[in-house]
Amino acid sequence: MTRRSVRSFTDQPVAREDLELLARAACFAPSANNSQVWQFTVVADREKIAELAAAVAGALGRGSDYNFYNPSAFIISSAPRIYRLGREDCACALQNIFLAAHSLGIGSVWINQLSLTCDHESVRPVLDKLGVPADHVVYGCAALGYPESGNSGGDAEKNLSVIHFAD
Ligand SMILES: Cc1cc2nc3c(=O)[nH]c(=O)nc-3n(C[C@H](O)[C@H](O)[C@H](O)COP(=O)(O)O)c2cc1C
């Protein structure tokens, strides 16, 4: 309940072993029929992240300042296009990543724009270079990094009135 989306990161890199842990946490998420047909592509090179963000910005007509919040690392969840439950499986996996990151003091936020543009002609070649399988679609991404000081995440109010006990 203390996790919040973080959208402002320091330059400090996330250690490889921590990224490995986050990716492993993703692999332990539930998946329909235990299918596990997803892939988690971990990008820890800021130049590669920037190249991908620029391609997405171009596809969406966004300005050159669009940069996924300039994170230290970026994890792309994807699954085969023909698999019907990829969206659900990847959402579970991403939440595992967010919670594991939070437990390590690493900030995170879901980035959705790559899901909308993964088949765009300027984006797919960048995904190819990163090793996202050609028959996969992207279902969501995690931007990751150490929060800027004083920025432990958004202050999104949580609405608890949606809980209903059918007593
Ligand atoms: C499916 C989904 C897509 C989202 N896409 C984005 C996004 O593209 N950019 C962004 O800054 N936050 C994105 N978010 C984060 C939400 O804005 C955030 O979770 C919400 O405002 C609640 O805040 P909290 O995460 O701090 O609790 C997304 C969240 C979900 C679940």
Side-chain angles (χ1 to χ4, degrees), residues 3-7 9 97-99 101-102 106-110 142-145 147:
R3 179 218 57 84
R4 286 294 182 280
S5 295
V6 171
R7 297 184 176 87
F9 303 105
I97 291 172
F98 298 144
L99 294 177
H102 183 56
I106 296 166
S108 66
V109 62
W110 182 307
L144 297 156

Side-chain angles (χ1 to χ4, degrees), residues 55-157:
V56 170
L60 291 174
R62 303 276 290 255
S64 57
D65 58 342
Y66 178 79
N67 62 1
F68 302 149
Y69 307 111
N70 192 24
S72 301
F74 198 70
I75 300 181
I76 302 164
S77 74
S78 65
R81 186 184 305 276
I82 61 165
Y83 172 58
R84 278 188 314 115
L85 295 168
R87 185 181 307 280
E88 290 83 349
D89 292 0
C90 285
C92 289
L94 282 167
Q95 178 70 342
N96 270 17
I97 291 172
F98 298 144
L99 294 177
H102 183 56
S103 76
L104 296 172
I106 296 166
S108 66
V109 62
W110 182 307
I111 298 293
N112 209 45
Q113 288 70 35
L114 196 54
S115 319
L116 311 171
T117 58
C118 66
D119 289 323
H120 192 277
E121 61 186 4
S122 68
V123 175
R124 183 55 72 168
V126 186
L127 294 176
D128 290 343
K129 274 200 287 185
L130 295 173
V132 176
D135 65 336
H136 276 206
V137 287
V138 173
Y139 282 114
C141 303
L144 297 156
Y146 289 93
E148 290 273 15
S149 68
N151 181 340
S152 56
D155 54 2
E157 290 255 341

